[in-house]
Amino acid sequence: SDSTKGWLPVSDDAVAFDHGAPPTQRGIFAFGQTGSYTNISNLVSSSGVVGSDVTGVGDNKIHAFGATYGGDKGIFGFGDAGGYSAITNLVNNSGTVASNVDGVGTARAQGASSGFGDDLAIFAFGTASSAKTAVSNKINNLGVVASDTSASGTAKNGCAGVRYGSTGQAVISFGANAAENYVNARNLISNTGVVASDATGAGTARQGLAATSYGGDKAIFAYGTDNSAVNMSNLVNNSGVVGADVSGVGTARFYPSATNYGGDKGLFAFGNTGSSRVNTRNLVSNEGVVASDATGAGTARGGLPGLGFSFSA
């Protein structure tokens, strides 16, 4: 332009830089049952290595929820601490678990959780003191849990939730209904956190499974029980369609945990085989391939949540 102003853009395209938030790189597992309830945690590196036990914070509990919020932070919440709880524990972007925060919403356990939208999260379904429920609770980008929303879909527990797609959707699937029948119905969650009614599912109906995202816009459910521990998996495409069973890999188990890591990969770890608890881990590639058992770390346990955190490796 001139010696004072230098160059001037001739169109918005010349200066616009439109992109989504970077993916999380690390993960964390926390709480669970070792034979008794615990609050220990284990960090996961950006290369999928599970670290040794970290001294616990918060109540000892099992079957809590866990999800990423705020882009690079996480929240653990609710669960069974010898009685159903709605207490939450925030996780900062360094993986430090904070002390208890008084809960909001129906105290419950064994539900599903996921991130959605750009930087929000949701807890849904589960077992409350009176019965299985279909309520949900949104978490904003500051980690504040909202009051109950009556969710669409059949009340259930033992289900799992995971983010999919390129615009912040999520899906919850599988579980056991009030009649104790295993189901494979799915409930899609919009990028504004609206839980849809039951949609036709696929794969073996079961409960006690886990789910993680992979490949940037896809997801996978794996493991669980249909009266015995299984190791099959079900891929989820970027439209939220759950695929048919994929032959199992790794130790069959139920109530494992899962998290994404390394930007576009996933990890299943821990769980109960029916005769013992394990700390085995199974990496998931960015193409959705589940690897064979790898050496685990930390105290073997089941019924624990996992979540991704940190934009930095």
Side-chain angles (χ1 to χ4, degrees), residues 34-309:
T34 65
S36 59
Y37 296 174
T38 184
N39 63 1
I40 57 178
S41 62
N42 304 86
L43 297 175
V44 180
S45 74
S46 60
S47 57
V49 177
V50 179
S52 55
D53 293 343
V54 175
T55 302
V57 175
D59 295 334
N60 298 333
K61 58 187 173 184
I62 188 173
H63 297 313
F65 299 78
T68 302
Y69 80 90
D72 63 346
K73 295 172 282 293
I75 181 170
F76 293 116
F78 297 78
D80 181 352
Y84 295 120
S85 169
I87 285 172
T88 59
N89 302 87
L90 300 181
V91 182
N92 69 15
N93 58 11
S94 297
T96 302
V97 181
S99 55
N100 291 345
V101 175
D102 289 340
V104 174
T106 298
R108 60 195 192 275
Q110 285 182 283
S113 51
S114 178
F116 75 90
D118 290 333
D119 54 4
L120 311 174
I122 190 169
F123 297 154
F125 301 99
T127 303
S129 57
S130 57
K132 294 174 184 177
T133 180
V135 300
S136 65
N137 303 85
K138 295 179 184 178
I139 296 103
N140 71 14
N141 59 9
L142 298 177
V144 178
V145 180
S147 55
D148 291 346
T149 297
S150 296
S152 300
T154 301
K156 57 189 173 184
N157 70 358
C159 45
V162 67
R163 177 189 288 267
Y164 75 89
S166 59
T167 57
Q169 302 98 321
V171 58
I172 293 172
S173 192
F174 300 96
N177 62 23
E180 300 298 339
N181 295 320
Y182 298 133
V183 298
N184 64 3
R186 61 193 171 105
N187 302 91
L188 298 181
I189 300 172
S190 73
N191 58 9
T192 58
V194 177
V195 181
S197 56
D198 294 346
T200 302
T204 297
R206 60 196 191 274
Q207 70 170 352
L209 69 168
T212 178
S213 58
Y214 75 89
D217 61 353
K218 293 173 282 293
I220 181 172
F221 293 98
Y223 303 100
T225 177
D226 62 353
N227 289 320
S228 61
V230 299
N231 63 358
M232 82 250 317
S233 61
N234 303 86
L235 298 178
V236 182
N237 68 16
N238 57 12
S239 297
V241 177
V242 180
D245 294 342
V246 176
S247 297
V249 175
T251 299
R253 57 199 190 269
F254 51 91
Y255 286 114
S257 189
T259 183
N260 56 302
Y261 78 92
D264 61 354
K265 294 171 281 293
L267 167 68
F268 292 100
F270 301 98
N272 193 325
T273 68
S275 60
S276 64
R277 297 176 183 89
V278 299
N279 65 2
T280 302
R281 64 190 172 108
N282 300 87
L283 302 179
V284 181
S285 75
N286 57 11
E287 295 181 344
V289 177
V290 181
S292 55
D293 292 345
T295 303
T299 299
R301 59 199 193 275
L304 64 162
L307 58 87
F309 73 94

